[in-house]
Amino acid sequence: MVFIGDIGNVSLSEKIAKSLGLPILYPDVKIFPDGEQRVYLKEELGGEDVVVLKSLSTPVDSNVIQFLFILNALRESGADKVTAIIPYLGYQRADHTFRVGEAASLRVVIDAILAEGITRIMLLDPHSIKITEMFDVPVMNETALPIFAEKIRELVADLTDVTVVTPDMGGIRRIKMISEILGVEFAAVEKDRDVETGDIKMSSIHGAKPKDIVCIVDDMISSGGTMVQAINAYRKMGVKKIYAFATHAVFSENASTILQDSPVEKVFVTDSIEVPENRLFKKLEVLSIADLVKTGLSV
Ligand code: R5P
């Protein structure tokens, strides 16, 4: 097996390579002054079983193109099998169209990936379960929830003090899963997002009353608006300690600042996306998915 790392997420690439006991090969990527990219795989990969890691995170379009070029180079090299590990799949929130006349963005990205002839794919906490059905190759669907559950057990002496919360109704399946893993009650925040502006507004909370400790769990933090609104709502309800968990640290706009300034105790994310230094903040802790990837590959 040959492992191709992600030049946009070197720390995760190194951890996965170590956990697989393989050297990392990185694609040689040249970006020309006009923004075009040239991808070159120096190694002889004919007949190889290749595992390639690539998060389609910011800058999303550039990473999508780079990934397609890597897959194409693998095909041209005559690689035998290609397993694509995509910890963060860009455009996943556009898994359906919201209005007539809107492009099916995720469908376009997935079709382009599939056109390069991958053998199988690994995803991590995709935004919706239907995303896994959009691929016509086997999908390994991994989740960071057991990692978060372990962290919650570490943080809290008595789990009867805990309620887990999804800050978005779309996360109901995930919150049920982690509530079952931990044996605690769950609640869900209902929010509305303006289709035009993308602005969000909390409307109501369903499910269990909050205990002294609330752990809010989401698939991703982008602008931070959803998470911070939920944190503030639970603080107003008198909750003593609030922890935030999100698989994907998209951290757009001023997410880091508003999270740091919020009444949250700590924010836990995974290394599915490498958080740039200028977006790191004191309350943030990054948990690695490297072992999860290894286990997923060996099943
Ligand atoms: C929503 O559909 C997702 O599960 C997240 O709640 C959302 O994408 C977070 O976005 P933001 O941080 O911009 O509020």
Side-chain angles (χ1 to χ4, degrees):
M1 191 187 276
V2 172
F3 175 57
I4 299 190
D6 179 357
I7 56 169
N9 197 339
V10 170
S11 62
L12 177 60
S13 302
E14 285 172 355
K15 288 193 186 93
I16 292 178
K18 194 168 166 212
S19 148
L20 293 175
L22 292 172
I24 317 178
L25 311 179
Y26 283 112
D28 185 86
V29 177
K30 172 154 176 70
I31 304 190
F32 293 99
D34 61 359
E36 290 187 359
Q37 304 185 48
R38 183 190 64 202
V39 167
Y40 169 54
L41 302 175
K42 298 182 281 290
E43 295 75 16
E44 179 46 64
L45 296 168
E48 292 286 358
D49 182 353
V50 178
V51 172
V52 54
L53 175 76
K54 184 79 196 156
S55 262
L56 306 181
S57 53
T58 314
V60 179
D61 297 341
S62 165
N63 277 319
V64 168
I65 281 292
Q66 191 180 106
F67 186 48
L68 293 173
F69 290 174
I70 293 168
L71 295 179
N72 183 266
L74 284 169
R75 194 147 67 107
E76 292 296 319
S77 310
D80 181 28
K81 291 185 189 138
V82 175
T83 301
I85 304 175
I86 309 182
Y88 178 73
L89 177 66
Y91 288 104
Q92 57 183 300
R93 282 172 292 179
D95 57 1
H96 62 281
T97 46
F98 294 85
R99 326 171 251 193
V100 175
E102 220 175 64
S105 321
L106 182 63
R107 179 78 270 162
V108 173
V109 172
I110 290 178
D111 284 350
I113 292 172
L114 291 173
E116 294 306 332
I118 56 171
T119 318
R120 56 182 184 154
I121 190 152
M122 182 186 287
L123 300 175
L124 177 73
D125 284 332
H127 183 61
S128 67
I129 199 65
K130 71 170 167 245
I131 292 175
T132 54
E133 290 155 15
M134 293 170 80
F135 290 89
D136 63 5
V137 294
V139 177
M140 292 165 277
N141 198 5
E142 302 299 327
T143 173
L145 292 179
I147 300 176
F148 293 161
E150 198 184 312
K151 185 45 83 176
I152 293 171
R153 284 198 187 98
E154 228 177 273
L155 291 168
V156 180
D158 183 359
L159 284 176
T160 59
D161 289 338
V162 176
T163 311
V164 289
V165 171
T166 173
D168 181 271
M169 294 302 279
I172 203 81
R173 187 184 53 87
R174 271 187 299 273
I175 212 67
K176 278 185 182 165
M177 273 170 77
I178 195 161
S179 90
E180 270 165 30
I181 297 174
L182 292 168
V184 301
E185 288 185 320
F186 70 90
V189 174
E190 196 171 341
K191 70 176 189 195
D192 299 316
R193 193 181 280 272
D194 187 304
V195 179
E196 287 290 336
T197 62
D199 291 345
I200 45 166
K201 227 175 82 198
M202 258 186 63
S203 53
S204 50
I205 297 182
H206 308 268
K209 286 219 166 66
K211 303 266 180 74
D212 283 349
I213 303 172
V214 160
C215 296
I216 307 174
V217 184
D218 209 353
D219 58 336
M220 69 178 80
I221 297 175
S222 181
S223 68
T226 302
M227 190 55 92
V228 170
Q229 282 203 19
I231 292 167
N232 288 336
Y234 276 98
R235 175 41 57 91
K236 263 197 199 147
M237 288 159 84
V239 171
K240 289 194 187 131
K241 280 191 174 171
I242 303 166
Y243 295 99
F245 294 81
T247 306
H248 309 295
V250 178
F251 289 175
S252 55
E253 299 174 346
N254 59 345
S256 309
T257 313
I258 62 171
L259 285 162
Q260 176 64 31
D261 294 345
S262 78
V264 75
E265 295 292 316
K266 277 196 92 167
V267 178
F268 298 92
V269 294
T270 77
D271 52 0
S272 68
I273 296 173
E274 190 156 72
V275 183
E277 221 151 280
N278 62 355
R279 305 250 152 154
L280 293 171
F281 53 98
K282 268 198 176 155
K283 289 180 177 173
L284 180 72
E285 186 175 326
V286 181
L287 308 170
S288 187
I289 57 161
D291 289 341
L292 197 71
V293 169
K294 187 197 168 185
T295 314
L297 282 177
S298 51
V299 172

